[in-house]
Amino acid sequence: ATMTVNAAGFRGPLPADGDPRIVCIGDSHTFGFGVDDGEPWPRRLEDALHALGVEQAEVLNLGVGGYESPHEHVRLRDDAFVHAPDIVVWQWFVNDLQMPAAARPRTGWAARLKRWTSPWNGGAAALRRHSVVADHVLQAVHASLDHGADQIRAAADSLETTDGWAEACSSIRAGRDAAHAHGAEFVVVVFPLLVRDGNSFLSRPIDLQLLAFCEREGIPAIDLAPALPHRESATLRNSAIDYHPSPRCHALAGRAIAAELIETLGERRGR
């Protein structure tokens, strides 16, 4: 895939004179890791809004791979408001929890193997660059350790006692307050982990708790799970060993978010 950033340091075209202007904050799901420049969901969101009649809508993609909620708050605070957004869309993903200690592999060798096989900072990074076969095998091992069902379920059972959950909630509140202070609407988008677990996605128990938190806080939230066919989860991912969204998933997400934002845009323009 062709993945580039512009002179302002984010993916997509430089800001124009769009009205309304929507700024998207998130991690690699928002940046669009593994898909071409025109395919991340913020670009698809802009296309969908244009198709729905909001012809001047402009969507900026400030997603950064590897970011979690505290980083996203800093990104919002330092880099978003210079663009005078009308709406801030904050993307949530389960790894914002940083996976509590109780949910990590309990054995020392598994934790070390997870670190060593990481594509970002593991000892196998050089080997990955020189061998496609090694890259796929090591990524399969890393993915099995990084997104195991037992890890997700353990995290879901202990959210309220984990530092990652508290940090995520605090960062989302701070993002909401900062957006409102700058006159912008604030919306959370809940992106599921694209692995099927029975009749839903593996991250569903955690995502439901995040949606409940948003409801208690009065924060508008968009649940993407109903728009994404979990029975076809393999087509929603980049590959069997890469859980980032595929072009199809980004397109579905963009259309679903656009449909939800139309009402928010209408209320804002009616004030």
Side-chain angles (χ1 to χ4, degrees):
T2 299
M3 297 181 285
T4 60
V5 296
N6 59 37
F10 60 87
R11 197 169 191 188
L14 287 167
D17 296 320
D19 179 26
R21 176 172 289 167
I22 300 168
V23 167
C24 301
I25 299 289
D27 57 21
S28 54
H29 284 59
T30 296
F31 176 83
F33 181 82
V35 300
D36 284 326
D37 284 337
E39 295 179 322
W41 67 260
R43 301 297 302 153
R44 297 302 194 182
L45 167 60
E46 183 175 284
D47 294 340
L49 288 172
H50 293 170
L52 289 170
V54 190
E55 297 176 357
Q56 300 304 314
E58 180 179 35
V59 181
L60 306 184
N61 181 352
L62 269 64
V64 180
Y67 268 23
E68 295 161 351
S69 293
H71 310 112
E72 289 157 5
H73 172 231
V74 173
R75 177 73 157 160
L76 174 64
R77 183 193 67 198
D78 293 350
D79 301 324
F81 297 119
V82 67
H83 301 298
D86 296 287
I87 300 177
V88 170
V89 178
W90 177 296
Q91 171 248 310
W92 156 271
F93 183 62
V94 67
N95 69 357
D96 284 10
L97 294 176
Q98 308 164 47
M99 282 301 145
R104 292 178 184 144
R106 291 186 174 86
T107 56
W109 69 265
R112 290 193 293 273
L113 184 60
K114 175 182 170 181
R115 288 193 297 272
W116 190 82
T117 56
S118 167
W120 307 114
N121 54 11
L127 179 59
R128 281 171 172 265
R129 289 194 294 271
H130 288 90
S131 170
V132 173
V133 173
D135 185 38
H136 279 253
V137 171
L138 291 168
Q139 180 61 17
V141 172
H142 180 73
S144 69
L145 295 170
D146 198 39
H147 292 307
D150 290 342
Q151 290 178 288
I152 299 294
R153 291 173 185 136
D157 291 339
S158 59
L159 277 185
E160 298 294 340
T161 62
T162 65
D163 291 340
W165 175 254
E167 285 185 352
C169 292
S170 177
S171 297
I172 291 172
R173 284 194 200 97
R176 184 254 333 258
D177 294 345
H180 289 176
H182 285 82
E185 304 293 337
F186 183 83
V187 179
V188 171
V189 167
V190 179
F191 223 115
L193 174 61
L194 300 170
V195 176
R196 181 183 174 186
D197 185 29
N199 291 321
S200 189
F201 292 104
L202 183 57
S203 62
R204 193 61 177 164
I206 294 175
D207 295 340
L208 286 173
Q209 293 184 64
L210 192 279
L211 289 164
F213 160 77
C214 289
E215 184 175 7
R216 291 193 301 270
E217 293 288 324
I219 298 172
I222 299 172
D223 181 10
L224 286 182
L228 304 177
H230 66 272
R231 297 182 186 280
E232 303 170 21
S233 59
T235 71
L236 301 176
R237 303 193 300 267
N238 276 337
S239 74
I241 59 174
D242 181 354
Y243 297 158
H244 288 95
S246 66
R248 180 194 181 200
C249 185
H250 280 288
L252 290 171
R255 289 198 293 268
I257 297 167
E260 295 281 348
L261 287 185
I262 285 293
E263 183 176 351
T264 300
L265 290 169
E267 291 174 354
R268 184 178 181 88
R269 288 175 176 252
R271 292 174 188 171

